[in-house]
Amino acid sequence: MSLSLEDITLTYPDGEGRLTALDGVGLDVPAGTLTAVVGPSGSGKSSMLAVAATLVRPDRGRVVVGGTETGALSAAERARLRRRRMGIVFQQPNLLASLTAREQVELMARLDGRGRSGEVRERARDLLDTVGLADLAHRRPHQLSGGQRQRVGIARALMNEPAVLLVDEPTSALDHERGAAVLDLLARLTREWRTATVLVTHDRARLAVADRVVELVDGRVRIPGPSGT
Ligand code: ADP
Ligand code: MG
């Protein structure tokens, strides 16, 4: 399933006027490929993911997921699309305070009413193991570090085998080695599951995992030159 953003413009209210966060952004992410998005703080990276996730409606332009123009869908249909087909990892992983790591991950499958309980349990355990949290599955968010919470968020996003994976700065709270492992994992799953993956990252050192790199500057896409500037 591919993801396309076509000529997206997004503005936010700003005092008397409007602030243009995205200005004619286009992006094509074929199934099975990983696009990295870089750019300075405030350049519109998180806004672009929110639009791609159909959480925020752009002022103009189209978001097409697997051939479906999402602007024509109802709020309930968009919610179902997100639940069934999208894995979304925000910068702040909004975990539920009362649930253990394992329960947060299992909840994704249960919300969708899918999977036998044994299967769901096993899959959640495998995913927590994959992100290096096998031994911490029983802990609640306040008993985990920022980096560990981020990894719970990643395992949660992978629970329903998404066709579109949207990840915002997954390595910001991780040490170097753990960050590399997370990026390698996302690149591997992109191939194995044929996911259309968009990864916002500050980590220019490891852009080699990406099939393509786009840079956002002041809400516009710029394709970086070979020097990486
Ligand atoms: P990035 O993720 O690249 O740092 P953002 O997409 O978060 O950039 O922000 C782009 C611009 O939009 C910034 O100027 C930011 O202050 C503004 N912005 C982001 N979210 C909102 C919002 N909900 N309301 C108003 N302005 C916002
Ligand atoms: Mg951001």
Side-chain angles (χ1 to χ4, degrees):
M1 203 150 119
S2 64
L3 166 72
S4 301
L5 303 186
E6 297 172 8
D7 199 16
I8 299 287
T9 294
L10 174 70
T11 66
Y12 295 114
D14 181 29
E16 303 284 283
R18 312 281 302 178
L19 179 147
T20 301
L22 298 171
D23 188 1
V25 167
L27 187 73
D28 250 314
V29 189
T33 68
L34 190 156
T35 295
V37 179
V38 299
S41 178
S43 59
K45 304 183 297 298
S46 295
S47 298
M48 190 176 94
L49 282 195
V51 169
T54 75
L55 288 165
V56 171
R57 237 183 229 281
D59 299 51
R60 216 182 59 161
R62 294 162 23 112
V63 178
V64 182
V65 178
T68 300
E69 211 269 280
T70 60
L73 301 177
S74 69
E77 287 167 332
R78 288 199 308 276
R80 189 174 332 117
L81 175 73
R82 281 195 294 274
R83 206 163 57 231
R84 297 237 160 117
R85 311 313 307 267
M86 293 184 161
I88 305 169
V89 185
F90 296 107
Q91 276 176 280
Q92 302 298 330
N94 299 318
L95 302 177
L96 294 165
S98 63
L99 298 189
T100 66
R102 178 174 64 74
E103 289 164 344
Q104 318 263 358
V105 176
E106 289 181 358
L107 181 64
M108 297 315 282
R110 302 206 193 289
L111 280 176
D112 214 20
R114 285 194 302 177
R116 287 184 300 108
S117 216
E119 252 165 45
V120 167
R121 218 164 223 273
E122 192 175 329
R123 191 162 159 67
R125 200 179 43 220
D126 286 350
L127 282 169
L128 286 168
D129 187 24
T130 303
V131 297
L133 294 177
D135 298 336
L136 305 180
H138 59 283
R139 292 211 187 163
R140 294 176 211 284
H142 72 277
Q143 301 164 317
L144 296 167
S145 72
Q148 289 163 348
R149 284 200 291 268
Q150 219 168 12
R151 282 183 280 149
V152 174
I154 290 167
R156 181 178 62 178
L158 297 174
M159 186 64 186
N160 289 345
E161 281 201 28
V164 172
L165 189 53
L166 305 168
V167 189
D168 205 347
E169 312 246 16
T171 61
S172 55
L174 303 182
D175 63 43
H176 186 79
E177 204 173 312
R178 195 60 85 179
V182 163
L183 292 190
D184 288 345
L185 169 69
L186 294 174
R188 180 164 64 77
L189 295 180
T190 298
R191 316 283 175 245
E192 279 178 15
W193 296 352
R194 305 257 327 133
T195 310
T197 303
V198 181
L199 171 72
V200 170
T201 182
H202 265 117
D203 209 345
R204 285 174 182 264
R206 274 191 299 267
L207 292 180
V209 301
D211 298 289
R212 203 156 54 114
V213 179
V214 302
E215 181 171 20
L216 276 186
V217 178
D218 288 339
R220 292 171 191 258
V221 169
R222 197 172 80 155
I223 309 292
S227 62
T229 56

Short mmCIF file of all heavy atoms in Angstrom, two decimals, residues 10-14 19-22 39-48 91 168-169 200 202 216, ligand 1:
data_model
loop_
_atom_site.label_atom_id
_atom_site.label_comp_id
_atom_site.label_asym_id
_atom_site.label_seq_id
_atom_site.Cartn_x
_atom_site.Cartn_y
_atom_site.Cartn_z
N LEU A 10 -0.90 23.53 4.61
CA LEU A 10 -1.52 23.51 5.93
C LEU A 10 -1.18 24.80 6.65
O LEU A 10 -0.01 25.18 6.74
CB LEU A 10 -0.98 22.32 6.75
CG LEU A 10 -1.45 22.25 8.20
CD1 LEU A 10 -2.92 21.89 8.30
CD2 LEU A 10 -0.61 21.25 9.00
N THR A 11 -2.20 25.46 7.17
CA THR A 11 -1.94 26.66 7.98
C THR A 11 -2.56 26.47 9.36
O THR A 11 -3.50 25.69 9.54
CB THR A 11 -2.55 27.93 7.33
OG1 THR A 11 -3.98 27.82 7.34
CG2 THR A 11 -2.06 28.13 5.91
N TYR A 12 -1.98 27.16 10.33
CA TYR A 12 -2.53 27.18 11.69
C TYR A 12 -2.92 28.62 12.01
O TYR A 12 -2.29 29.56 11.52
CB TYR A 12 -1.46 26.76 12.70
CG TYR A 12 -0.97 25.34 12.61
CD1 TYR A 12 0.35 25.06 12.24
CD2 TYR A 12 -1.80 24.27 12.92
CE1 TYR A 12 0.83 23.75 12.20
CE2 TYR A 12 -1.33 22.96 12.87
CZ TYR A 12 -0.02 22.71 12.51
OH TYR A 12 0.45 21.42 12.47
N PRO A 13 -3.91 28.79 12.90
CA PRO A 13 -4.21 30.15 13.35
C PRO A 13 -3.00 30.70 14.10
O PRO A 13 -2.33 29.97 14.82
CB PRO A 13 -5.40 29.98 14.31
CG PRO A 13 -5.69 28.53 14.38
CD PRO A 13 -4.74 27.78 13.52
N ASP A 14 -2.71 31.99 13.88
CA ASP A 14 -1.54 32.60 14.50
C ASP A 14 -1.87 34.06 14.76
O ASP A 14 -1.73 34.91 13.89
CB ASP A 14 -0.35 32.46 13.52
CG ASP A 14 0.92 33.06 14.09
OD1 ASP A 14 1.07 33.07 15.33
OD2 ASP A 14 1.77 33.52 13.29
N LEU A 19 -0.39 30.95 10.17
CA LEU A 19 1.00 30.55 9.97
C LEU A 19 0.99 29.39 8.97
O LEU A 19 0.24 28.44 9.13
CB LEU A 19 1.58 30.11 11.30
CG LEU A 19 3.03 29.62 11.34
CD1 LEU A 19 3.64 30.01 12.68
CD2 LEU A 19 3.13 28.12 11.14
N THR A 20 1.80 29.50 7.92
CA THR A 20 1.85 28.43 6.92
C THR A 20 2.89 27.40 7.35
O THR A 20 4.09 27.67 7.31
CB THR A 20 2.20 29.00 5.53
OG1 THR A 20 1.20 29.95 5.19
CG2 THR A 20 2.24 27.90 4.47
N ALA A 21 2.42 26.22 7.77
CA ALA A 21 3.34 25.17 8.25
C ALA A 21 3.80 24.29 7.09
O ALA A 21 4.93 23.80 7.08
CB ALA A 21 2.66 24.33 9.31
N LEU A 22 2.90 24.04 6.11
CA LEU A 22 3.26 23.25 4.92
C LEU A 22 2.80 24.02 3.70
O LEU A 22 1.67 24.52 3.66
CB LEU A 22 2.59 21.87 4.96
CG LEU A 22 2.98 20.97 6.13
CD1 LEU A 22 2.09 19.72 6.17
CD2 LEU A 22 4.45 20.55 6.06
N GLY A 39 15.24 18.14 8.49
CA GLY A 39 14.95 19.58 8.39
C GLY A 39 14.99 20.20 9.76
O GLY A 39 14.80 19.52 10.76
N PRO A 40 15.20 21.52 9.79
CA PRO A 40 15.33 22.19 11.07
C PRO A 40 14.05 22.14 11.89
O PRO A 40 12.97 21.87 11.35
CB PRO A 40 15.68 23.63 10.70
CG PRO A 40 15.49 23.76 9.24
CD PRO A 40 15.39 22.40 8.64
N SER A 41 14.17 22.39 13.17
CA SER A 41 13.03 22.48 14.05
C SER A 41 12.07 23.55 13.53
O SER A 41 12.50 24.61 13.10
CB SER A 41 13.57 22.83 15.44
OG SER A 41 12.50 22.99 16.32
N GLY A 42 10.79 23.23 13.51
CA GLY A 42 9.79 24.18 13.05
C GLY A 42 9.59 24.19 11.55
O GLY A 42 8.82 24.99 11.02
N SER A 43 10.24 23.27 10.83
CA SER A 43 10.15 23.28 9.36
C SER A 43 8.90 22.56 8.86
O SER A 43 8.62 22.57 7.66
CB SER A 43 11.40 22.66 8.74
OG SER A 43 11.59 21.33 9.18
N GLY A 44 8.15 21.91 9.76
CA GLY A 44 6.88 21.30 9.35
C GLY A 44 6.88 19.78 9.34
O GLY A 44 5.91 19.15 8.90
N LYS A 45 7.93 19.16 9.88
CA LYS A 45 8.04 17.69 9.81
C LYS A 45 6.89 17.00 10.54
O LYS A 45 6.24 16.10 9.99
CB LYS A 45 9.39 17.24 10.40
CG LYS A 45 10.59 17.89 9.73
CD LYS A 45 11.91 17.38 10.29
CE LYS A 45 12.15 17.67 11.77
NZ LYS A 45 12.22 19.12 12.10
N SER A 46 6.64 17.40 11.78
CA SER A 46 5.56 16.75 12.54
C SER A 46 4.20 17.07 11.94
O SER A 46 3.30 16.21 11.93
CB SER A 46 5.60 17.19 14.01
OG SER A 46 6.80 16.74 14.62
N SER A 47 4.05 18.29 11.43
CA SER A 47 2.79 18.64 10.76
C SER A 47 2.55 17.74 9.55
O SER A 47 1.43 17.29 9.31
CB SER A 47 2.82 20.10 10.31
OG SER A 47 2.94 20.96 11.43
N MET A 48 3.61 17.46 8.81
CA MET A 48 3.48 16.61 7.64
C MET A 48 3.04 15.20 8.04
O MET A 48 2.17 14.60 7.40
CB MET A 48 4.81 16.54 6.89
CG MET A 48 4.69 15.87 5.56
SD MET A 48 6.26 15.93 4.68
CE MET A 48 6.91 14.38 5.17
N GLN A 91 6.33 11.86 18.65
CA GLN A 91 7.51 12.19 19.44
C GLN A 91 7.28 11.84 20.91
O GLN A 91 8.15 11.32 21.57
CB GLN A 91 7.85 13.67 19.28
CG GLN A 91 8.67 13.95 18.03
CD GLN A 91 8.92 15.43 17.84
OE1 GLN A 91 8.06 16.17 17.36
NE2 GLN A 91 10.09 15.87 18.20
N ASP A 168 7.92 9.63 14.13
CA ASP A 168 8.49 10.95 14.39
C ASP A 168 9.64 10.84 15.38
O ASP A 168 9.43 10.55 16.55
CB ASP A 168 7.40 11.88 14.94
CG ASP A 168 7.71 13.35 14.67
OD1 ASP A 168 8.86 13.66 14.30
OD2 ASP A 168 6.80 14.17 14.84
N GLU A 169 10.84 11.08 14.91
CA GLU A 169 12.04 11.12 15.76
C GLU A 169 12.11 9.95 16.73
O GLU A 169 12.14 10.15 17.95
CB GLU A 169 12.05 12.43 16.57
CG GLU A 169 11.77 13.64 15.72
CD GLU A 169 12.96 14.58 15.63
OE1 GLU A 169 14.07 14.15 15.97
OE2 GLU A 169 12.77 15.72 15.21
N VAL A 200 10.76 10.62 10.38
CA VAL A 200 11.36 11.93 10.67
C VAL A 200 12.55 11.70 11.58
O VAL A 200 12.43 10.99 12.58
CB VAL A 200 10.34 12.85 11.36
CG1 VAL A 200 11.02 14.12 11.86
CG2 VAL A 200 9.21 13.19 10.40
N HIS A 202 16.48 13.36 13.18
CA HIS A 202 17.57 14.34 13.28
C HIS A 202 18.89 13.69 12.94
O HIS A 202 19.90 14.33 12.81
CB HIS A 202 17.68 14.83 14.74
CG HIS A 202 16.95 16.08 14.99
ND1 HIS A 202 15.91 16.17 15.85
CD2 HIS A 202 17.10 17.31 14.45
CE1 HIS A 202 15.44 17.39 15.85
NE2 HIS A 202 16.15 18.10 15.00
N LEU A 216 12.76 19.21 4.61
CA LEU A 216 11.76 20.27 4.69
C LEU A 216 12.46 21.54 5.17
O LEU A 216 13.22 21.51 6.14
CB LEU A 216 10.66 19.91 5.70
CG LEU A 216 9.51 19.05 5.23
CD1 LEU A 216 8.46 18.94 6.35
CD2 LEU A 216 8.86 19.59 3.98
P1 ADP B 1 8.90 20.32 13.17
O1 ADP B 1 8.29 19.01 13.52
O2 ADP B 1 9.70 20.30 11.89
O3 ADP B 1 9.70 20.90 14.29
P2 ADP B 1 6.17 21.36 13.28
O4 ADP B 1 5.39 20.69 12.23
O5 ADP B 1 6.00 20.88 14.67
O6 ADP B 1 7.73 21.37 12.86
O7 ADP B 1 5.83 22.91 13.25
C1 ADP B 1 5.82 23.67 12.06
C2 ADP B 1 5.35 25.08 12.40
O8 ADP B 1 3.98 25.05 12.76
C3 ADP B 1 6.09 25.70 13.57
O9 ADP B 1 6.21 27.07 13.32
C4 ADP B 1 5.16 25.43 14.74
O10 ADP B 1 5.32 26.41 15.74
C5 ADP B 1 3.79 25.52 14.10
N1 ADP B 1 2.79 24.65 14.73
C6 ADP B 1 2.89 23.29 14.88
N2 ADP B 1 1.77 22.79 15.44
C7 ADP B 1 0.94 23.85 15.65
C8 ADP B 1 -0.38 23.98 16.18
N3 ADP B 1 -1.09 22.92 16.60
N4 ADP B 1 -0.92 25.24 16.23
C9 ADP B 1 -0.23 26.30 15.79
N5 ADP B 1 1.02 26.25 15.26
C10 ADP B 1 1.59 25.04 15.19
#
